[in-house]
Amino acid sequence: MKLQKLGEEQRTQLAQFLEQRPDTTMFLRANLQRGGIEYHGQTLQAEYWGLFDASGELVGVTAHAWNGSLLLDGRDQTATLLAQLAPHLNRPIQGLTGVWDEVVTARAVLGLNDRATTLESCEDLMSLPLEQLRLPESLRRGDVCYRRSQDDDVPLLQRWRSAYAVETLGAEAGPETDQKSAEGVLRAHHQNDLWVLESEGELVAMTAFNARLDDCVQVGGVFTPKDLRCQGYGRGVVAGSLQDVHAEGVGRALLFTENPWARRAYEALGFEVVGDYGLVFFATE
């Protein structure tokens, strides 16, 4: 087995490899499409590494992203891939994402089992063919309405995103989290990947896509303020966003969650569990 840093000449081979497991490689595939395969430190870019067998077949992949996360698709070669990769890592690892077994293997091989974490979660990976989307009654009746974000919404959504990062992702409240959250909201807003739900003219929930391809979107950043929860607003805004992109030609949606209440809400929309997805974010050293 031989490790190789991937470049433009391997891009097609990489894309074909990742398409073999489309449900668990959305971050890898979407970042490759939007950020390219060359790394210059920009948002959505990564250093892509591949493990090849003696015949030249690609058998495992990982990407060290701009934000420090290691995105995994090593399959049954994860241990070999990361053992060979370790000497080449020239930036800190801030997180691990991928199939849970691969995340566990990566922590062990890279000596990260004792490193403090802000989030360590094995989540349900859920999928929905969008022709099977079931709209909540609140949308059908018109009790609430959804739309893509507008410029005037952005300051409030940035505050909501910061609260989401602290509550859901284990981020530390403060200027750094606020700044990262603000940048993330602006990016999603400018890419038309951010939606809000309104009730009686007031914003009550938000959702975004954290990865997007022409045929598939991955839902992320679903947030309802605490005093507005348990009224179906999160379910409504997700359903609205998916109805919009289905009309634009997208055929499937993915998401992951470890929250049993959220899982039931997504199941009500038609999502089904198709596997697991692991998230580990490390505390700043």
Side-chain angles (χ1 to χ4, degrees):
M1 299 288 184
K2 182 180 179 181
L3 181 73
Q4 181 179 341
K5 190 171 184 179
L6 306 179
E8 285 294 340
E9 61 273 19
Q10 291 89 26
R11 183 167 180 164
T12 298
Q13 187 178 13
L14 171 60
Q16 291 173 345
F17 178 80
L18 297 175
E19 287 169 0
Q20 297 170 9
R21 292 209 306 185
D23 291 350
T24 56
T25 60
M26 273 296 290
F27 283 130
L28 281 159
R29 293 188 295 137
N31 290 359
L32 178 64
Q33 183 179 90
R34 286 188 168 179
I37 200 168
E38 302 291 344
Y39 181 72
H40 304 288
Q42 301 300 308
T43 300
L44 300 184
Q45 292 183 343
E47 296 172 280
Y48 291 86
W49 296 85
L51 188 70
F52 295 83
D53 66 14
S55 69
E57 181 180 357
L58 185 60
V59 295
V61 167
T62 189
H64 196 188
W66 85 101
N67 59 7
S69 289
L70 205 61
L71 314 180
L72 302 167
D73 189 28
R75 310 184 190 185
D76 59 354
Q77 299 297 331
T78 298
T80 301
L81 170 63
L82 295 180
Q84 292 193 33
L85 176 64
H88 300 283
L89 292 169
N90 54 18
R91 292 180 289 123
I93 296 175
Q94 303 295 352
L96 300 167
T97 67
V99 175
W100 179 247
D101 285 348
E102 294 187 34
V103 169
V104 171
T105 298
R107 287 190 75 178
V109 171
L110 296 173
L112 299 172
N113 280 337
D114 295 330
R115 186 171 166 188
T117 61
T118 58
L119 179 70
E120 184 176 348
S121 182
C122 178
E123 314 220 340
D124 290 322
L125 178 65
M126 307 184 77
S127 175
L128 171 64
L130 291 183
E131 68 270 14
Q132 299 176 19
L133 173 65
R134 298 192 290 264
L135 292 180
E137 285 300 316
S138 59
L139 289 187
R140 294 181 182 275
R141 292 191 304 263
D143 300 341
V144 292
C145 61
Y146 65 91
R147 58 173 172 80
R148 277 186 164 97
S149 58
Q150 300 172 356
D151 291 346
D152 290 346
D153 303 326
V154 167
L156 174 61
L157 302 185
Q158 289 174 324
R159 294 193 295 273
W160 283 4
R161 175 65 191 189
S162 188
Y164 168 88
V166 172
E167 180 180 340
T168 306
L169 304 180
E172 183 176 351
E176 183 177 356
T177 295
D178 291 343
Q179 179 64 28
K180 289 181 179 179
S181 299
E183 292 172 355
V185 165
L186 276 177
R187 183 165 60 250
H189 174 63
H190 290 150
Q191 293 173 345
N192 288 322
D193 282 345
L194 183 61
W195 275 259
V196 296
L197 192 76
E198 289 185 343
S199 177
E200 298 181 349
E202 299 294 327
L203 300 189
V204 294
M206 65 180 284
T207 188
F209 300 138
N210 55 32
R212 180 171 185 164
L213 295 166
D214 292 341
D215 61 345
C216 186
V217 293
Q218 185 166 271
V219 177
V222 182
F223 182 80
T224 304
K226 288 184 178 180
D227 59 341
L228 297 174
R229 292 177 187 172
C230 300
Q231 300 182 61
Y233 292 148
R235 187 191 320 170
V237 73
V238 170
S241 70
L242 296 180
Q243 182 167 250
D244 274 355
V245 297
H246 188 215
E248 296 164 2
V250 176
R252 199 162 63 95
L254 296 163
L255 58 82
F256 43 83
T257 184
E258 52 79 36
N259 184 315
W261 294 97
R263 173 176 165 170
R264 285 193 285 273
Y266 297 136
E267 287 174 336
L269 298 180
F271 279 91
E272 295 183 351
V273 175
V274 294
D276 64 55
Y277 199 76
L279 299 172
V280 173
F281 298 150
F282 295 108
T284 302
E285 293 183 326

